[in-house]
């Protein structure tokens, strides 16, 4: 056992230590490599060192460096090694935490994590939640819970309201939850990409007139596109007026409630009926850690609890298998519990504050580059910009900026991705990795300046 783990750890340490020097992305030849790795089920084993070579020398390097400090694309997180160690422990003891009674001490640690998240959001004590594999599965569970709580068995008249900036996982969740595409409304947003209550009011009234049943609204606590935060208090008022279930998607921005500034921006999140948080984003954990919190914990139980003859009869504590879609599951709680217990929340809060400041700094620097315009100022730690020399048609402008982004990324110190805002291509910067600091942001700005001058 020790030789196995030591050999892996030697490679892990070398890899993690070299993350800042590794290219921000190196996928050339990756597809050819992938094809060369396809093989039939092996009859005989291969020595472990050879397999480590395959992983660390061949497969890992040909990839986007999602764990490195230059990853400013999509939504970063980084992946704390402490969580990987927690997984090693959890997978090694392989205890079952789906039933409280099967491992009460361990189940309690996961319950603690969920209670901490509940308190961060400002939910009451009757709230409950589950850890999931990520935001998408959290959203699906939330929508099915809301559907079962608020609509009859034939729910086909139920209507869901999303903004035109909502993450596509919500639309996917609506379809997977059984709603016809025609029951999902994509409402227009304001000039800062936020859903306003007035827009929601009109849409709900129009649907009521048609005989439909408005039942759920999704508000974003930080969109993926621009980091826009919907006015949550205002949406909560509207949801109350119309009797809608209010779901808040905090997969990107939710944990910013830990900071003073974020808490202000996200005011009203505590009035939601359900909230999604993604610890694998703004809590820096490795991929595969999502969370769903529901204001009324009993709603999760009513939705998911079924009897079975082979299950124990008397229960105490929280049985995760009774309040979630999963039965057999990994002990996910430990990968969140261990880093939080080892560090306390302080360093997480500090890191999130640093990301807010870095995004503001980047916006200020971008403003000094001639021709650059910022289409989305940072509301949290994300912003969107483009080069606009003036006088170009949208198609040309989009081409110009796609080229600019490629030249920035070709320098391989940072990786940026783009998006379309009302049909116009913009380049995003999302600062969220715990490994991204001022030095890397300076490289980012240097490379943007260089790429603008080169173009
Ligand atoms: C990433 C993201 C999601 C989806 O979460 P996954 O963990 O990737 O499934 C949903 N909403 C927002 C705002 C996101 O950034």
């Amino acid at each position: 056992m020790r030789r196995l783990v030591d050999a892996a750890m030697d490679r892990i340490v070398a890899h993690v230590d070299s993350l800042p020097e590794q290219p921000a992305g190196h996928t050339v030849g990756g597809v050819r490599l992938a094809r060369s790795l396809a093989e039939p089920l092996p009859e005989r084993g291969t020595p472990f060192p050879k397999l480590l070579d395959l992983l660390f020398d061949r497969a890992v390097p040909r990839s986007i460096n999602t764990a490195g400090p230059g990853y400013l694309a999509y939504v970063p997180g980084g992946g704390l090694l402490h969580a990987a160690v927690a997984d090693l422990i959890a997978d090694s003891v392989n205890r079952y935490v789906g039933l409280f009674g099967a491992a009460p001490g361990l189940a309690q640690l996961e319950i603690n994590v969920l209670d901490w998240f509940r308190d961060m959001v400002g939910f009451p004590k009757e709230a409950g939640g589950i850890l999931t594999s990520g935001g998408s599965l959290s959203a699906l569970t939330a929508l099915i819970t809301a559907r079962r709580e608020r609509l009859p068995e034939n729910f086909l008249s139920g209507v869901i309201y999303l903004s035109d900036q909502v993450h596509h996982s919500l639309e996917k969740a609506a379809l997977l939850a059984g709603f016809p595409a025609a029951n999902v409304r994509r409402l227009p947003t304001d000039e800062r990409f936020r859903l306003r209550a007035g827009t929601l009011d009109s849409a709900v009234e129009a649907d009521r007139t048609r005989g439909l049943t408005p039942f759920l609204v999704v508000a974003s606590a930080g969109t993926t596109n621009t980091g826009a935060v919907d006015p949550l208090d205002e949406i909560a008022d509207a949801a109350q007026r119309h009797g809608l279930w209010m779901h808040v998607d905090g997969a990107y921005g939710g944990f910013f409630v830990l900071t003073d500034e974020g808490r202000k921006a996200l005011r009203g999140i505590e009035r939601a009926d359900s909230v999604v948080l993604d610890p694998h984003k703004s809590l820096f954990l490795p991929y595969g850690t999502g969370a769903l919190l529901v204001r009324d914990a009993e709603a999760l139980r009513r939705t998911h609890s079924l009897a079975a003859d082979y299950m124990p009869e008397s229960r105490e504590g929280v049985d995760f298998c009774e309040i979630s879609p999963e039965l057999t599951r990994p002990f996910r709680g430990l990968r969140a519990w261990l880093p939080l217990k080892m560090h306390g929340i302080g360093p997480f809060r500090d890191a999130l504050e640093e990301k807010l400041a870095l995004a503001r700094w980047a916006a200020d620097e971008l403003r000094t580059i001639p021709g650059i315009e910022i289409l989305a100022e940072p509301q949290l730690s994300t912003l969107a910009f483009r080069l606009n020399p003036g006088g170009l048609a949208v198609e040309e402008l989009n081409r110009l900026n796609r080229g600019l982004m490629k030249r920035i990324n070709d320098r391989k110190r940072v990786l940026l991705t783009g998006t379309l805002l009302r049909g116009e291509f913009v380049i995003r910067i999302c600062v969220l990795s715990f490994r991204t600091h001022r030095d890397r942001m300076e490289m980012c700005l240097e490379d943007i300046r260089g790429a603008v001058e080169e173009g």
Side-chain angles (χ1 to χ4, degrees):
M1 283 188 278
R2 201 179 305 282
R3 269 207 311 279
L4 192 69
V5 176
D6 282 351
M9 192 47 72
D10 285 344
R11 304 301 299 258
I12 292 168
V13 168
H15 172 77
V16 171
D17 279 348
S18 71
L19 277 173
E21 284 76 50
Q22 291 173 27
H26 177 62
T27 49
V28 177
V31 174
R32 198 167 352 109
L33 168 73
R35 288 205 190 101
S36 77
L37 291 179
E39 61 172 343
L41 174 67
E43 195 62 43
R44 279 197 307 265
T46 307
F48 187 47
K50 277 202 153 151
L51 300 178
L52 286 173
D53 289 346
L54 183 159
L55 289 170
F56 284 94
D57 297 341
R58 296 177 65 205
V60 174
R62 283 211 157 56
S63 57
I64 288 173
N65 185 359
T66 42
Y71 188 66
L72 306 171
Y74 306 107
V75 180
L80 285 170
L81 190 74
H82 310 74
V85 175
D87 278 2
L88 177 62
I89 297 169
D91 293 354
S92 304
V93 302
N94 201 34
R95 286 297 189 265
Y96 180 62
V97 297
L99 281 168
F100 184 84
L106 299 179
Q108 185 60 45
L109 302 185
E110 185 159 325
I111 293 167
N112 287 355
V113 167
L114 288 156
D115 286 351
W116 298 337
F117 290 174
R118 173 199 68 198
D119 293 347
M120 287 178 200
V121 161
F123 265 1
K125 296 278 177 246
E126 313 79 71
I130 54 171
L131 294 180
T132 69
S133 59
S136 300
L137 267 293
S138 301
L140 176 59
T141 308
L143 260 57
I144 291 175
T145 303
R147 189 197 85 195
R148 303 217 4 176
E149 286 291 298
R150 295 294 178 87
L151 294 173
E153 266 194 346
N154 181 347
F155 53 82
L156 293 180
S157 73
V159 181
I160 297 174
Y161 301 88
L162 314 175
S163 87
D164 60 13
Q165 298 294 308
V166 156
H167 192 273
H168 72 287
S169 61
L170 273 300
E171 198 163 355
K172 187 172 173 181
L175 298 178
L176 290 177
F179 291 94
N183 293 33
V184 182
R185 303 270 175 276
R186 283 226 163 225
L187 306 178
T189 46
D190 71 6
E191 75 294 345
R192 292 178 65 201
F193 309 102
R194 301 169 309 175
L195 175 64
R196 303 313 298 252
T199 313
L200 179 61
D201 287 336
S202 328
V204 167
E205 279 149 26
D207 284 324
R208 281 247 157 79
T209 313
R210 288 188 199 111
L212 297 171
T213 315
F215 95 102
L216 181 137
V217 59
V218 177
S220 298
T223 63
T224 307
N225 259 353
T226 65
V229 180
D230 292 332
L232 301 179
D233 247 337
E234 188 181 306
I235 302 290
D237 288 340
Q240 213 163 5
R241 270 200 297 284
H242 303 295
L244 306 181
W245 179 288
M246 176 177 170
H247 175 75
V248 171
D249 181 12
Y252 153 61
F255 285 108
F256 280 104
V257 292
L258 291 167
T259 68
D260 288 344
E261 200 184 316
R263 159 78 37 218
K264 262 185 234 138
L266 272 52
R267 206 185 56 224
I269 192 171
E270 71 285 351
R271 297 175 62 194
D273 293 291
S274 52
V275 173
V276 164
L277 301 171
D278 248 355
H280 62 205
K281 289 177 176 168
S282 40
L283 214 55
F284 320 125
L285 299 189
Y287 295 144
T289 331
L292 168 65
L293 301 171
V294 176
R295 162 176 298 281
D296 173 10
E298 285 308 305
L300 282 175
R301 188 179 312 282
R302 285 189 292 271
T303 300
H304 295 98
S305 176
L306 287 173
D309 295 336
Y310 40 77
M311 295 295 280
E313 276 167 28
S314 74
R315 307 279 183 90
E316 53 183 336
V318 178
D319 293 330
F320 290 118
C321 69
E322 286 269 285
I323 61 170
S324 78
E326 291 180 306
L327 179 57
T328 308
R329 64 196 285 287
F331 178 18
R332 275 189 201 105
L334 200 65
R335 51 161 54 194
W337 180 84
L338 189 71
L340 288 170
K341 280 292 281 182
M342 284 182 71
H343 300 299
I345 199 64
F348 291 87
R349 182 182 293 118
D350 294 348
L352 289 170
E353 269 166 5
E354 182 195 17
K355 305 315 146 196
L356 294 172
L358 287 174
R360 264 197 315 268
W361 177 84
D364 289 341
E365 290 294 312
L366 281 170
R367 260 188 284 279
T368 67
I369 305 176
I372 291 284
E373 59 181 6
I374 300 178
L375 282 89
E377 292 284 343
Q379 294 181 38
L380 294 170
S381 69
T382 303
L383 59 118
F385 68 96
R386 72 175 170 188
L387 182 62
N388 187 357
L392 293 183
V394 171
E395 280 311 307
E396 287 171 281
L397 206 49
N398 288 358
R399 203 168 326 114
L400 176 78
N401 280 282
R402 285 201 165 90
L404 174 65
M405 189 173 85
K406 182 174 185 307
R407 292 197 301 279
I408 298 165
N409 289 341
D410 280 349
R411 295 170 186 233
K412 302 209 174 219
R413 299 201 294 179
V414 297
L415 187 84
L416 306 182
T417 49
T419 189
L420 292 178
L421 291 179
R422 295 170 187 150
E424 307 195 1
F425 183 82
V426 292
I427 305 173
R428 298 166 64 260
I429 297 179
C430 181
V431 197
L432 200 61
S433 171
F434 69 96
R435 294 193 173 100
T436 304
H437 305 294
R438 176 66 178 260
D439 57 341
R440 186 63 53 158
M441 294 306 292
E442 283 171 6
M443 293 180 205
C444 175
L445 265 295
E446 254 172 50
D447 291 353
I448 294 172
R449 280 205 179 85
V452 168
E453 280 160 22
E454 210 178 88

